[in-house]
């Protein structure tokens, strides 16, 4: 079968690929969206059952589409998120080739050869929108976990019933780790939470959602080329936020109140014992400090924009309570730990990319989504062009910028390719 030849191929029909598809359609650029599953595949297959978005409903503005329901400040469940993105794909008549897995991409003289399990494609320009969270990270010392202990990543975790009764060690205290720790503690399984770098954040501040403030004050719009050290900010963990119907704040103090035991960063496992860093107090102090700086930015913006009379007064929150002597070592069997959940972050999978565009860690080298290969773009990576780039709400601006660049490339293609 000869290869199909759209002008542009987009790999991935998550919100990033769909946003790019909408922008290309608006420019009448013919394209295909190649998807290994169905639209919103990762939301259908890689999230735990009780997860709700940590961004409010209004904060998912895609090109030509936004939330119009009667609960703009609520937080979508997973089925609602799948429905939202499926509705978007339908409304935009996105040309999705579903159940088609890309197995190799290589450069040709005139563009890119895309090999899939459903035949070959050739395109002049290519957009990688295959996601930043394809693989849940697992530390190298995970191999030293005794075989009797059930281990799952945050990507494999669905609900407490998957785990045996007994204690759980949750590793990682950002959004995924704290939410899973809360659910497991409530299920009656005593949780020890290994806490490394994290960023504490109140759900609401001065009577409004924290995301409202970050959006209004321009924090989410901060650009990749305006920060001091973009490599560092791209590694910053997600805010410790959860979207619950009661809009409660989920932080370490809330977990401690429920009975969760805090420990420092998990440094290794040896002889059936978990070894924790002794720097828990430092990690928490740093997190409190970062939260304080964010709140100062918000307060300054509120004052500068005349909001002080309209909203509640500034608040400061009690420091994170750190146990006087957090555990430095935990004998997993004697301590009753029957399961471990790895919630230390995610990384993309570009193993099928047969081109020298990745660094030693396998991450794509790019300048705001423009990859150093003619007509090649990437979407959805952390702080790709703006702080909000990985959020659903961040895709619209990035897709507009990158589709404009791509259109320019196609117009001048012959010169660029040479
Ligand atoms: C636990 C969790 C919670 C999150 N919560 C929020 C939130 O509350 N609000 C928010 O705005 N964002 C949230 N995010 C961040 C982000 O919105 C999601 O990760 C989102 O799924 C990323 O969208 P995407 O389109 O970039 O990638 P994805 O949704 O991952 O889409 C990529 C698509 O590419 C497909 N694909 C991958 N490889 C191939 C291949 N080789 N061939 C063909 N197709 C392929 C996948 O099947 C997938 O459908 C969360 C992320 C995680 C992990």
């Amino acid at each position: 079968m000869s290869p199909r030849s759209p002008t542009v191929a987009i790999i991935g029909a998550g919100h990033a690929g769909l946003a790019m598809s909408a922008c290309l359609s608006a420019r009448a650029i013919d394209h295909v969206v190649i998807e290994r599953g169905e639209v919103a595949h990762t939301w259908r297959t890689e999230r735990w059952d009780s997860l709700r978005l940590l961004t409010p409903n209004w904060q998912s503005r895609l090109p030509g589409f936004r939330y119009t329901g009667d609960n703009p400040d609520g937080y979508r469940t997973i089925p609602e998120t799948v429905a939202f993105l499926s509705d978007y794909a339908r409304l935009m008549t996105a040309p999705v080739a579903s159940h088609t897995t890309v197995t190799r991409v290589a450069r040709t003289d005139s563009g890119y050869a895309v090999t899939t399990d459903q035949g070959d494609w050739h395109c002049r320009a290519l957009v990688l929108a295959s996601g930043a969270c394809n693989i849940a990270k697992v530390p190298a010392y995970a191999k030293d976990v005794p075989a009797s202990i059930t281990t799952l990543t945050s990507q494999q975790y669905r609900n407490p019933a998957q785990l045996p009764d007994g204690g759980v060690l949750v590793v990682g205290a950002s959004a995924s780790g704290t939410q899973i720790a809360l659910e497991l503690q409530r299920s009656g399984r005593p949780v020890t939470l290994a806490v490394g770098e994290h960023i504490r954040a109140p759900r609401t501040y001065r009577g409004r959602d924290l995301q409202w403030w970050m959006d209004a004050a321009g924090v989410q719009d901060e650009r990749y080329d305006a920060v001091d050290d973009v490599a560092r900010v791209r590694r910053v963990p997600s805010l410790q936020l959860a979207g619950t119907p009661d809009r409660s704040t989920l932080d370490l103090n809330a977990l401690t109140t429920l009975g969760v035991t805090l420990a420092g960063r998990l440094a290794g496992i040896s002889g059936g014992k978990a070894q924790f860093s002794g720097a828990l107090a430092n990690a928490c102090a740093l997190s409190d400090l970062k939260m304080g700086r964010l709140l100062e930015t918000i307060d300054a913006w509120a004052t500068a924009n005349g909001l002080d009379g309209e909203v509640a007064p500034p608040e400061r929150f009690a420091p994170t309570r750190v146990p006087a002597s957090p555990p430095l070592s935990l004998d997993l069997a004697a301590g009753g730990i029957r399961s471990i959940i790895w919630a230390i972050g995610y990384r993309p999978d570009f193993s099928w990319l047969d081109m020298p565009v990745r660094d030693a860690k396998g991450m794509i080298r790019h300048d705001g989504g423009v990859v150093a290969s003619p007509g090649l773009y990437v979407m959805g990576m952390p702080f790709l062009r703006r702080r909000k780039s990985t959020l659903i709400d961040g895709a619209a601006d990035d897709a507009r910028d990158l589709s404009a660049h791509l259109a320019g490339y196609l117009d001048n293609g012959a010169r660029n390719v040479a």
Side-chain angles (χ1 to χ4, degrees):
M1 188 166 54
S2 60
R4 289 148 286 186
S5 306
T7 304
V8 181
I10 300 170
I11 302 177
H15 74 259
L18 295 174
M20 178 56 91
S21 170
C23 290
L24 295 182
S25 293
R27 290 174 178 275
I29 296 174
D30 81 288
H31 63 280
V32 63
V33 185
I34 303 175
E35 168 55 53
R36 65 183 165 178
E38 290 171 44
V39 165
H41 181 69
T42 56
W43 293 106
R44 296 172 195 267
T45 59
E46 295 179 2
R47 310 282 191 260
W48 60 94
D49 299 344
S50 65
L51 179 68
R52 283 176 180 265
L53 293 199
L54 51 76
T55 43
N57 289 333
W58 59 262
Q59 197 180 23
S60 47
R61 297 159 292 198
L62 289 161
F65 197 61
R66 59 175 57 219
Y67 179 79
T68 52
D70 57 6
N71 187 18
D73 296 323
Y75 310 97
R76 274 188 199 92
T77 61
I78 295 306
E80 287 166 351
T81 306
V82 170
F84 180 77
L85 294 177
S86 303
D87 287 349
Y88 183 46
R90 243 188 325 274
L91 186 80
M92 293 288 134
T93 57
V96 179
S98 51
H99 302 288
T100 303
T101 301
V102 174
T103 54
R104 182 172 180 263
V105 168
R107 179 102 185 102
T108 68
D109 289 344
S110 55
Y112 295 91
V114 180
T115 309
T116 80
D117 62 353
Q118 304 294 326
D120 297 336
W121 302 74
H122 189 273
C123 53
R124 284 178 63 198
L126 180 68
V127 180
L128 308 172
S130 48
C133 301
N134 305 119
I135 300 173
K137 292 182 189 168
V138 173
Y141 53 73
K143 65 180 185 343
D144 301 322
V145 173
S148 57
I149 291 182
T150 301
T151 59
L152 293 175
T153 65
S154 49
Q155 206 173 44
Q156 295 164 324
Y157 173 77
R158 291 293 170 274
N159 54 58
Q162 272 174 305
L163 304 184
D165 287 341
V168 187
L169 172 61
V170 177
V171 184
S174 291
S176 298
T178 48
Q179 292 179 37
I180 293 171
L182 175 76
E183 176 163 273
L184 289 173
Q185 181 74 25
R186 282 185 173 155
S187 77
R189 291 165 180 79
V191 170
T192 300
L193 179 63
V195 179
E197 185 188 353
H198 62 281
I199 305 177
R200 185 181 172 195
R203 178 70 269 178
T204 55
Y205 182 62
R206 301 181 70 177
R208 300 204 176 171
D209 196 288
L210 186 76
Q211 293 286 0
W212 182 87
W213 287 109
M214 289 178 71
D215 181 65
V219 177
Q220 293 289 18
D221 287 321
E222 200 177 354
R223 284 181 57 95
Y224 77 108
D225 45 9
V227 293
D228 286 341
D229 183 352
V230 72
R232 190 187 58 77
V233 294
R234 283 179 174 156
R235 288 195 304 269
V236 167
S238 61
L239 288 183
Q240 211 178 47
L241 276 180
T244 54
D246 66 359
R247 300 164 73 81
S248 55
T249 290
L250 175 57
D251 59 12
L252 299 183
N253 286 348
L255 291 174
T256 301
T257 301
L258 276 173
V260 170
T261 302
L262 302 186
R265 186 172 172 277
L266 183 62
I269 292 187
S270 166
K273 287 186 181 162
Q275 318 284 350
F276 300 105
S277 148
L280 174 63
N282 286 351
C284 294
L286 195 61
S287 174
D288 286 351
L289 190 77
K290 286 182 184 158
M291 175 176 70
R293 279 199 207 123
L294 175 60
L295 302 184
E296 278 164 23
T297 302
I298 288 171
D299 291 339
W301 180 84
T303 302
N305 288 275
L307 252 75
D308 283 334
E310 268 179 53
V311 296
E315 296 168 72
R316 289 298 174 264
F317 300 92
T320 301
R321 297 195 302 278
V322 179
S325 8
L328 295 178
S329 171
L330 173 63
D331 184 316
L332 297 168
I337 299 293
R338 305 281 311 281
S339 328
I340 296 180
I341 307 286
W342 305 112
I344 56 172
Y346 306 85
R347 63 186 169 83
D349 177 11
F350 290 117
S351 53
W352 34 268
L353 209 49
D354 196 2
M355 281 183 289
V357 292
R358 291 184 289 155
D359 64 20
K361 290 190 170 162
M363 302 299 281
I364 297 259
R365 288 190 303 267
H366 66 90
D367 181 3
V370 180
V371 184
S373 178
L376 184 61
Y377 301 86
V378 63
M379 294 267 303
M381 296 299 124
F383 229 121
L384 183 93
R385 296 184 68 79
R386 298 168 179 85
R387 187 180 300 278
K388 64 184 178 185
S389 285
T390 32
L391 297 180
I392 295 174
D393 206 51
D397 284 345
D398 289 2
R400 279 188 203 106
D401 292 352
L402 292 175
S403 60
H405 192 290
L406 191 155
Y409 166 73
L410 293 176
D411 288 345
N412 303 299
R415 194 178 63 224
N416 282 348
V417 167

